[in-house]
Amino acid sequence: MKVLIGIGGGIAAYKVCEIISSLFKTGIELKVILTAGGEQFITPLTVATLSRHPAYTDRDFWQPLHHRPLHIELGEWADLLVIAPLTANTLGKLAQGLADNLLTNTVLASTCPILLAPAMNTEMWNQVAVQRNWQLLGQDPRYHVAGAGVGLLACDRVGMGRMAEPEEILPYIHSLLHTGGKRDLTGKRVLVSTGGTREFFDPVRFIGNPATGKMGLALAQAAAHRGGIVTLVHSTLPDVAIDRRIQLIQAIDSAMMQQQMVAHFATADLVLMSAAVADVKPAHYSDQKLPKKLLPTNLELAPVPDIIAELSKLKQPHQKLIGFAAQTGDIITPALEKLQRKNLDAIVTNPVDLPDSGFGSDRNQAVMLKRSGDRLDISPCAKLEMAHQILDGIF
């Protein structure tokens, strides 16, 4: 995979160094264009060192030709173009189809998807002309957006215009490399559950499991990057910046998760029940912390509601309901039984007793079994990649 990164003139350019370094570590081939403004904040030597490839500047653009024009070569080479930070100046040029430097000429000479990460002062961002250009650019299906956020800006103001964090931009890059920029979930409402529920027996003690929410977050990110309108109901989540288009709803225990999933189910087109919901809970709850000497030696347990079974009874013909099963040993037999018993459209079963797989890992592997009888084997890969393979398999 080949990613071309265009760096504009803003202090947020320093964040792009982390993006370049992270992408290189995943084996992606990188080239970087520095605008004249971008060079005022980071040097060609910096990005060349991180990308292991010479950086391109406008000086290279205006050199005598040795082969084909540079902007043509770069435009044809890239599978994805990322512009970060996107300044008001470059935004205006892109919106009007203007090209007066290497970056903007390369944009016009390319056909690949383009990911934009805008960054500017709040007053600049709120200008009518800037917002007009932003809306105009949004009409072009080539452009995808890691949107500007609210935060402390270099001008010491707190407001809109802060560039998205690398941990938000990086998943979007990997998604676009997988999908080629397609938005096959546009207009679809996607409901995802994730994390391991915590069933408390006093305010500080609970029955739980090791689920971290990484898989469900990856599913939510993948769906949002493909145009879906995503709601993520979570008990636990990794501490990372999350695409602000994803609606987050916290549900710590099984009762709260049941309430939220049922409440949002009717409007969903696709439901991915990836949460590791407890099977039992303490039968009794103390609203005060129990002294150690009063802790029960035998903890009485009670069943919790079977959320996915309840949802399957509510499911309408247009809805797809996907279950998940974390298993040890034979992962297929119990998953097939669950698929049939709970009337699911598909079930994703994954081993949690293999290294670098399952709970807490950044990678996973699985088998997706569909009601139609089709089977998709997903080899070990990053959880975001697995999420896209699941979505590919559903549709």
Side-chain angles (χ1 to χ4, degrees), residues 2 64 71 111-112 153 182 216 262:
K2 304 178 182 68
H71 63 295
T111 58
C112 64
L153 307 177
K182 69 180 178 182
V262 171

Side-chain angles (χ1 to χ4, degrees), residues 31-350:
K31 293 183 180 180
V32 180
I33 296 174
L34 273 168
T35 65
E39 285 189 82
Q40 302 302 310
F41 292 92
I42 52 177
T43 68
L45 177 59
T46 298
V47 295
T49 302
L50 293 172
S51 66
R52 277 66 160 185
H53 194 284
Y56 296 103
T57 69
D58 285 344
R59 291 184 294 278
D60 302 300
F61 185 39
W62 302 115
Q63 291 299 312
L65 298 179
H66 296 289
H67 301 287
R68 301 172 69 212
L70 179 58
H71 63 295
I72 304 296
E73 291 279 8
L74 291 173
E76 292 178 351
W77 175 85
D79 294 313
L80 173 67
L81 205 167
V82 180
I83 303 179
L86 173 70
T87 63
N89 184 44
T90 299
L91 168 61
K93 293 176 185 178
L94 297 180
Q96 302 302 322
L98 302 178
D100 65 350
N101 60 12
L102 177 57
L103 177 58
T104 51
N105 273 275
T106 301
V107 168
L108 295 187
S110 65
T111 58
C112 64
I114 301 174
L115 177 61
L116 304 175
M120 63 193 75
N121 165 268
T122 302
E123 296 302 333
M124 296 173 69
W125 176 253
N126 288 332
Q127 289 295 323
V128 172
V130 171
Q131 287 302 306
R132 182 173 61 242
N133 288 335
W134 185 244
Q135 296 300 320
L136 185 61
L137 207 60
Q139 299 172 22
D140 188 330
R142 285 188 68 194
Y143 291 103
H144 303 257
V145 178
V150 175
L152 178 65
L153 307 177
C155 59
D156 291 330
R157 284 198 58 178
V158 175
M160 179 65 73
R162 183 179 175 87
M163 192 177 99
E165 299 302 319
E167 57 199 8
E168 183 179 342
I169 294 172
L170 284 164
Y172 212 153
I173 290 173
H174 289 290
S175 287
L176 291 171
L177 289 173
H178 179 94
T179 64
K182 69 180 178 182
R183 292 184 173 93
D184 53 344
L185 292 182
T186 297
K188 300 288 187 182
R189 294 190 175 273
V190 182
L191 177 62
V192 183
S193 71
T194 196
T197 60
R198 298 179 174 186
E199 310 300 327
F200 286 83
F201 62 87
D202 73 11
V204 299
R205 301 183 182 97
F206 61 87
I207 298 174
N209 59 66
T212 60
K214 288 183 179 181
M215 190 66 240
L217 176 58
L219 289 163
Q221 289 173 323
H225 297 159
R226 295 165 80 134
I229 304 166
V230 182
T231 299
L232 180 60
V233 180
H234 64 93
S235 55
T236 53
L237 273 181
D239 185 20
V240 296
I242 296 174
D243 191 316
R244 54 191 60 86
R245 289 168 295 188
I246 298 173
Q247 181 186 8
L248 298 176
I249 300 174
Q250 189 170 38
I252 299 296
D253 60 24
S254 56
M256 296 169 65
M257 185 160 287
Q258 176 195 30
Q259 179 186 30
Q260 293 298 334
M261 293 300 291
V262 171
H264 291 85
F265 182 76
T267 58
D269 299 293
L270 170 63
V271 179
L272 298 154
M273 191 70 188
S274 68
V277 181
D279 296 303
V280 293
K281 66 179 181 179
H284 305 287
Y285 176 76
S286 169
D287 59 6
Q288 299 292 320
K289 180 184 176 182
L290 295 171
K292 187 174 182 179
K293 63 183 179 181
L294 295 182
L295 289 176
T297 55
N298 294 297
L299 186 62
E300 185 180 353
L301 301 176
V304 302
D306 189 331
I307 300 174
I308 199 165
E310 182 177 357
L311 297 180
S312 71
K313 295 176 183 178
L314 301 173
K315 188 166 77 75
Q316 299 300 308
H318 74 281
Q319 294 178 303
K320 291 186 180 295
L321 178 59
I322 314 301
F324 285 72
Q327 300 288 159
T328 60
D330 174 17
I331 68 173
I332 301 299
T333 303
L336 283 171
E337 188 275 333
K338 184 176 180 180
L339 172 69
Q340 298 299 325
R341 177 169 50 87
K342 299 193 176 181
N343 191 32
L344 307 177
D345 294 288
I347 189 166
V348 179
T349 180
N350 68 286

